[in-house]
């Protein structure tokens, strides 16, 4: 074979490799889970509430799955309720327990590093008269137990604290927290979504009253959650309707998803065994990244017992995460900047801010979360790409700051503005003048319409997504591509004069394949 063929192969290996390092956002569905779901979809279509044979069979599958979930967290099956997602589980508990105690008791204590499904529900409850206080955390995100003790008073009815954080992986001392709460006759909700399958969970031993779980974080399907409600604790349904789930969660059960969740929980012991291998890979990753960038800062606790084995939050001083993530995506590596739900916005992560990072440091931070499919080769490849980026061996994507984007660039005939913002952002805010709108998830359908001889300026709300699209365009042969740093949000704030004057003028919505 001639030398250029080897070069070509090298190119293919380099660019066709897919390395998924965002398991805290979601996981692939395992083959065991898939098989179980297929079996249910094919054979068990009966409604579990029906009395005849195929209904009774479905009811049996439902109870079997409940049993597997209960086993995985050391609960009794009758303490497990299936929900649509963990967001629903968190909503259901926070709203139901508030309704139970209010107005006799008014206060919930939570932490500033909870998932938005908790934080935004608490914000809503505040509008209904609930008082919410946030217990401070230390620089590693650990709840300050002495502060919690001080904050609890006779008005407090609930402490809400996640077991493990999705962004940094910090693990809270839940047994100590439930002890403090119990001493004051206060209930505890723990969001255990990120912990299941990564560390052992014992809701009974730890004295948790309510806990939320989600199948898609442990190789199960999306759209199915579970809620643990300790026997005898107050709970009223969020959804009213049929008598499903002992009358506490109405709606015909999504049996294939529930069976998938059960199958995923059957595998929990295997996942916990694999967590040891993953922890070793994580330490190799840390070591390699430290060699590449010795001034990097690890935000995740380094003590093994205090951090999820798969999660690494790392700051690279002087390196914007948007550019690095764009480059990693270009080379097939998926990592994230913060939680999946908040990426795309130009807001620095609330978790990183709570543990003391500046806005700038938060924008220089990425989250890498390993999983069952991660191999040593994946880690080597990822660090190799990071090294290429740090040492400037990457295609060049020009970065335009909001301050630089003036009338000259906006109305330059050689600039082509490509707006990849999601529809809801477009409904809220007008776009750049002369921009061309395409959906970010289908850019490939519009490539023929993009000019090769112009500078393409890619614009998204916060400047992260546009970087990924910019690198994608580079890979597709567009030579001059720029990214608007900080996105339209940044420009709107920085150049409100230009936004008022020109935004929304002459916007074209491109049609696919034209
Ligand atoms: N809680 C935590 C800690 C999470 O990481 C997530 C998902 O990212 C959720 C809750 C929400 O889970 P679901 O996607 O099932 O609503």
């Amino acid at each position: 074979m001639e030398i250029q063929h080897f070069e070509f192969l090298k190119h293919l290996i380099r660019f066709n490799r897919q390395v998924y390092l965002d398991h805290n956002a979601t996981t692939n569905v395992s083959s065991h889970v898939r098989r179980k779901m297929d079996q249910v979809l094919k054979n068990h279509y009966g409604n579990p509430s029906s009395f005849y044979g195929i209904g009774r069979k479905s009811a049996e599958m439902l109870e079997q799955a409940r049993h597997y979930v209960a086993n995985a967290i050391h609960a009794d099956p009758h303490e497990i309720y299936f929900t649509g997602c963990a967001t629903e589980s968190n909503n259901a508990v926070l709203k139901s327990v508030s309704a139970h105690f209010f107005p006799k008791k008014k206060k919930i204590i939570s932490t500033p590093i909870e998932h938005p499904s908790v934080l935004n529900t608490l914000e809503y409850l505040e509008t209904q008269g609930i008082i919410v206080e946030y217990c401070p955390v230390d620089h590693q995100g650990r709840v300050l137990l002495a502060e919690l003790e001080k904050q609890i008073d006779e008005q407090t009815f609930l402490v809400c604290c996640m077991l493990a954080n999705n962004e940094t992986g910090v693990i809270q001392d839940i047994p100590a927290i439930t002890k403090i709460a119990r001493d004051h006759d206060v209930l505890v909700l723990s969001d255990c979504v990120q912990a299941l399958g990564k560390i052992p969970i014992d809701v009974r031993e730890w004295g948790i009253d309510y806990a939320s779980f989600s199948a898609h974080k442990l190789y199960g399907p999306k759209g199915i959650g579970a809620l643990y409600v300790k026997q005898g604790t107050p709970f009223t349904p969020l959804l009213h309707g049929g008598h499903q789930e002992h009358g506490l969660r109405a709606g015909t059960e999504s049996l294939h998803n529930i069976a998938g969740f059960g199958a995923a929980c059957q595998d929990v012991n295997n996942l916990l065994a694999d967590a040891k291998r993953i922890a070793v890979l994580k330490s190799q990753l840390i070591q390699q990244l430290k060699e590449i960038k010795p001034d990097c800062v690890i935000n995740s606790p380094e003590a093994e017992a205090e951090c999820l084995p798969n999660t690494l939050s790392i700051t690279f001083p002087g390196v914007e995460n948007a550019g690095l993530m764009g480059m990693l995506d270009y080379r097939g590596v998926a990592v994230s900047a913060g939680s999946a739900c908040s990426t795309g916005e130009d807001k620095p992560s609330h978790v990183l801010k709570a543990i003391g990072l500046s806005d700038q440091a938060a924008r220089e931070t990425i989250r890498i979360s390993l999983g069952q499919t991660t191999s040593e080769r994946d880690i080597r490849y990822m660090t190799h790409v990071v090294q290429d980026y740090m040492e400037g061996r990457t295609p060049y994507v020009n970065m335009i700051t909001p301050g630089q984007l003036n009338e000259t660039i906006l109305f330059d005939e050689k600039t082509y503005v490509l707006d990849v913002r999601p529809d809801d952002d477009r409904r809220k805010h007008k776009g750049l003048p002369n921009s061309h709108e395409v959906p970010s998830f289908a850019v490939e359908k519009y490539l023929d319409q993009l000019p090769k001889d112009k500078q393409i300026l890619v614009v998204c709300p916060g400047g992260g997504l546009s970087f990924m699209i910019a690198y994608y365009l580079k890979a597709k042969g567009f030579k001059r591509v720029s990214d608007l740093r900080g996105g339209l949000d940044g420009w709107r704030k920085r150049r409100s004069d230009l936004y008022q004057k020109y935004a929304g003028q002459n916007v074209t919505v491109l049609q696919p394949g034209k």
Side-chain angles (χ1 to χ4, degrees):
M1 202 183 272
E2 291 177 33
I3 191 80
Q4 63 266 36
H5 291 136
F6 283 118
E7 282 304 311
F8 178 67
L9 277 178
K10 234 168 71 187
H11 176 85
L12 273 185
I13 290 165
R14 221 173 188 193
F15 288 98
N16 285 347
R17 204 172 161 82
Q18 291 295 320
V19 175
Y20 183 71
L21 294 173
D22 201 17
H23 290 82
N24 286 8
T26 196
T27 55
N28 57 297
V29 176
S30 74
S31 51
H32 172 215
V33 168
R34 246 188 350 252
R35 275 199 308 278
K36 186 72 198 179
M37 291 178 71
D38 271 356
Q39 183 207 344
V40 171
L41 283 167
K42 253 190 229 145
N43 306 318
H44 301 292
Y45 57 86
N47 188 324
S49 300
S50 301
F51 292 141
Y52 41 75
I54 56 167
R56 290 199 305 275
K57 188 68 202 162
S58 292
E60 185 189 334
M61 312 288 297
L62 176 64
E63 292 318 310
Q64 194 180 53
R66 198 187 309 283
H67 172 85
Y68 291 137
V69 175
N71 261 3
I73 62 166
H74 295 92
D76 279 338
H78 67 264
E79 295 171 312
I80 301 296
Y81 302 90
F82 289 108
T83 59
C85 53
T87 298
E88 182 192 325
S89 303
N90 286 334
N91 265 265
V93 174
L94 291 168
K95 290 175 183 169
S96 148
V97 181
S98 296
H100 180 85
F101 284 99
F102 190 80
K104 256 169 86 188
K105 290 188 176 193
K106 293 199 171 83
K107 190 161 119 184
I108 298 178
I109 301 175
S110 191
T111 85
I113 62 169
E114 298 298 307
H115 186 266
S117 58
V118 166
L119 294 179
N120 292 338
T121 308
L122 291 176
E123 203 176 302
Y124 162 74
L125 288 171
E126 282 183 297
T127 67
Q128 307 300 301
I130 298 290
I131 297 165
V132 181
E133 282 182 11
Y134 294 93
C135 180
V137 294
D138 67 13
H139 69 286
Q140 301 221 292
R142 290 168 300 209
V143 166
L144 298 174
L145 298 176
E147 293 299 319
L148 176 64
E149 184 96 53
K150 273 192 230 152
Q151 280 178 325
I152 290 197
D153 57 19
E154 65 290 347
Q155 280 293 313
T156 312
F157 59 89
L158 185 73
V159 169
C160 172
C161 177
M162 69 201 326
L163 172 53
N165 183 267
N166 42 307
E167 290 190 38
T168 67
V170 63
I171 298 170
Q172 304 295 347
D173 188 349
I174 292 294
I177 290 169
T178 54
K179 170 146 191 350
I180 295 172
R182 215 174 27 248
D183 288 349
H184 293 84
D185 224 1
V186 166
L187 298 168
V188 172
L189 160 64
S190 186
D191 174 338
C192 297
V193 167
Q194 288 293 342
L196 186 56
K198 295 174 190 147
I199 55 169
I201 298 178
D202 194 329
V203 287
R204 197 180 300 136
E205 165 101 17
W206 296 351
I208 296 173
D209 299 288
Y210 309 94
S212 46
F213 303 92
S214 183
H216 74 99
K217 307 289 182 177
L218 67 149
Y219 309 92
K222 294 166 190 43
I224 184 76
L227 173 60
Y228 161 77
V229 180
K230 187 163 89 186
Q231 163 114 42
T233 29
F235 185 75
T236 47
L238 187 64
L239 302 183
H240 294 91
H243 56 269
Q244 292 90 353
E245 298 297 280
H246 313 302
L248 291 187
R249 205 284 184 171
T252 304
E253 300 88 345
S254 177
L255 192 61
H256 58 295
N257 279 335
I258 290 173
F261 198 173
C265 285
Q266 267 187 296
D267 293 336
V268 156
N269 283 340
N270 294 339
L271 292 178
L272 294 178
D274 194 44
K276 296 189 179 72
R277 180 190 68 89
I278 291 173
V280 172
L281 287 181
K282 184 172 100 172
S283 22
Q284 288 171 1
L285 173 66
I286 293 175
Q287 200 186 331
Q288 289 171 30
L289 291 174
K290 278 182 174 169
E291 277 164 26
I292 294 166
K293 186 108 172 84
D295 64 344
C296 68
V297 181
I298 309 291
N299 307 307
S300 303
E302 294 201 46
E304 230 176 73
E306 290 181 2
C307 189
L308 291 177
N310 77 318
T311 309
L312 175 64
S313 167
I314 183 164
T315 305
F316 297 110
V319 181
E320 294 259 343
N321 56 17
L324 176 57
M325 283 168 52
M327 181 61 211
L328 284 163
D329 181 48
Y330 174 69
R331 301 274 293 268
V333 183
V335 300
S336 86
S339 61
C341 314
S342 51
T343 46
E345 295 174 19
D346 186 34
K347 272 198 263 157
S349 139
H350 68 281
V351 176
L352 299 177
K353 296 275 294 173
I355 62 171
L357 270 71
S358 65
D359 282 11
Q360 187 53 31
R363 290 200 179 93
E364 294 167 348
T365 300
I366 59 168
R367 174 187 76 181
I368 306 164
S369 48
L370 286 56
Q372 223 183 2
T373 56
T374 311
S375 67
E376 217 173 308
R377 264 184 83 205
D378 290 340
I379 298 301
R380 272 203 309 275
Y381 178 74
M382 190 267 177
T383 53
H384 171 75
V385 176
V386 171
Q387 185 161 22
D388 277 355
Y389 184 74
M390 300 287 178
E391 295 174 4
R393 285 189 299 276
T394 58
Y396 180 66
V397 168
N398 186 32
M399 205 191 257
I400 294 185
T401 63
Q404 283 169 332
L405 186 53
N406 55 21
E407 280 152 313
T408 314
I409 301 181
L410 282 174
F411 298 102
D412 175 14
E413 297 241 307
K414 293 238 160 58
T415 300
Y416 183 93
V417 179
L418 185 67
D419 180 325
V420 297
R421 288 178 301 140
D423 275 350
D424 64 337
D425 199 73
R426 286 180 183 149
R427 279 193 289 273
K428 277 191 245 152
H429 307 294
K430 293 178 194 160
L432 288 182
N434 301 324
S435 55
H436 303 81
E437 294 184 350
V438 300
S440 63
F441 50 82
V443 176
E444 71 277 7
K445 294 202 181 120
Y446 299 82
L447 293 180
D448 291 352
Q449 300 174 61
L450 307 185
K452 285 248 154 85
D453 58 339
K454 292 191 179 181
Q455 172 78 24
I456 300 181
L457 174 61
V458 193
V459 179
C460 74
L465 175 64
S466 53
F467 237 119
M468 300 205 178
I469 306 280
Y471 275 113
Y472 172 75
L473 293 178
K474 277 269 167 185
K476 293 292 169 191
F478 292 87
K479 293 221 162 47
R480 295 168 59 224
V481 186
S482 300
D483 168 72
L484 176 59
R485 181 179 177 220
L488 192 74
D489 285 355
W491 185 71
R492 208 177 50 249
K493 282 180 207 139
R494 184 74 200 272
R495 296 306 310 258
S496 58
D497 54 330
L498 296 182
Y499 182 81
Q500 298 295 340
K501 200 164 164 193
Y502 298 118
Q505 283 181 14
N506 194 27
V507 170
T508 309
V509 180
L510 295 189
Q511 299 304 316
K514 285 216 177 134

